[in-house]
Amino acid sequence: MSLITISGFPCSGKTRRAEQIKAALESRIQDAGFEGTKLKVAVLSDHILNISRDVYKDSRAEKPARGALFTAMQRQMGQDTILIVDGMNYIKGFRYQMYCAARELKLRVCTVYVVATQELCKEWNSKREDGTAYAPETLENLLMRYEEPSSMVRWDSPLITVPWVDDDVPADDIWKAITEGNVKPPNAGTQAVPKAPTDALRALESTTAAMVSAIMAEQAASASLGGLVALTMPNALRPTVTLPPRNVTLSELQRLKRQFVTVNKKAITLGTIEKGAMDWSEESIASKYAAYIEENLKP
């Protein structure tokens, strides 16, 4: 359904805002007037995953912790779930990674930026007595490294800002973003590329060579000039090709064969052609090579 990314300074009140968002969304879903499909609202955070605040003291420990959060997020995302990721999410590259994962599943996205001054964050951190406080030097370091979300970039949009002075979150704006916002297609660069079968190159070479031989044999046997020619080939293939009204030479056919094979060798190497629509069977190769000959042979 959708992914809501919470971002903000450490100790800025993100968890409280995540709880407010969850309560507001569940209220709308459970309302008698709601006509949509049954949805569940889930919250994911460092606390839920038992990730200690101490990991932020060391970048080597922080990286696998971020990976654990991302993996858990991927497991919970789905068409029947509104997932709220409650965390600093302070690195813009990580927010982009989350955005791409949501696009892969064709989910709507929304970023909620929880705003508080650095002085307030330090004050609130110092008052924590439940063992969730950051060490002062860690907090200072995280505040300096924080990369603020921007509505100008696609992975942070739509961006909804919630300042510390507001008593509640703008539930209407968030609901509209996750239910009416555009569902963007997955990035082309992240799509799995259809791979050609392992014998595609052999089939390409042997089929085109057999067709050249069959065309030359047919011309010699029938002494016909041009028109639709049915070729007799190995493996019970019977492709047809329309030849020009003249005698086609072996050098012409060999030249076209080299061109056709070169183009399709590249497709085999890259793993796709025509957005993966290429059929690498001998029958398909023969049909495509016949069309290539008809298009490129001079009258």
Side-chain angles (χ1 to χ4, degrees), residues 206-228:
S206 63
T207 303
T208 51
M211 284 188 65
V212 170
S213 299
I215 291 172
M216 295 304 297
E218 183 65 28
Q219 284 191 142
S222 64
S224 62
L225 295 178
L228 184 66

Side-chain angles (χ1 to χ4, degrees), residues 6-166:
I6 307 289
S7 183
F9 285 150
C11 303
S12 59
K14 297 182 298 299
T15 297
R16 180 170 69 94
R17 299 304 189 183
E19 291 171 352
Q20 289 176 330
I21 294 171
K22 184 175 185 292
L25 297 181
E26 286 179 335
S27 176
R28 290 172 182 256
I29 293 170
Q30 294 166 5
D31 187 273
F34 178 66
E35 298 178 352
T37 57
K38 188 66 176 178
L39 300 172
K40 62 180 179 181
V41 183
V43 176
L44 189 63
S45 66
D46 287 352
H47 176 70
I48 292 172
L49 296 175
N50 294 316
I51 297 175
S52 170
R53 298 289 171 89
D54 292 338
V55 299
Y56 294 102
K57 295 179 181 179
D58 183 357
S59 60
R60 290 174 296 180
E62 181 183 343
K63 188 173 181 179
R66 215 163 40 239
L69 177 66
F70 183 75
T71 301
M73 181 199 76
Q74 287 181 302
R75 284 198 300 263
Q76 294 195 38
M77 286 192 303
Q79 292 297 331
D80 63 342
T81 302
I82 300 173
L83 181 60
I84 303 168
V85 181
D86 169 24
M88 284 185 293
N89 301 317
Y90 69 99
I91 300 172
K92 61 183 178 181
F94 184 58
R95 295 198 299 270
Y96 176 70
Q97 187 179 5
M98 296 166 69
Y99 163 81
C100 289
R103 284 184 62 174
E104 283 294 301
L105 296 177
K106 298 181 180 179
L107 307 183
R108 291 182 175 88
V109 296
C110 171
T111 302
V112 176
Y113 179 24
V114 180
V115 179
T117 65
Q118 294 192 14
E119 290 71 22
L120 276 175
C121 293
K122 292 176 183 178
E123 179 185 342
W124 292 338
N125 182 65
S126 66
K127 293 180 179 179
R128 289 187 171 181
E129 299 177 353
D130 54 359
T132 60
Y134 294 91
E137 60 275 12
T138 302
L139 179 62
E140 191 67 41
N141 186 32
L142 289 171
L143 291 172
M144 290 178 58
R145 289 160 52 195
Y146 185 80
E147 296 176 335
E148 183 177 325
S150 170
S151 60
M152 301 298 291
V153 297
R154 61 188 183 279
W155 58 88
D156 287 334
S157 299
L159 180 63
I160 298 172
T161 301
V162 185
W164 74 95
V165 294
D166 288 1

Side-chain angles (χ1 to χ4, degrees), residues 196-209:
T198 54
D199 63 343
L201 184 56
R202 178 204 59 77
L204 179 66
E205 289 280 5
S206 63
T207 303
T208 51

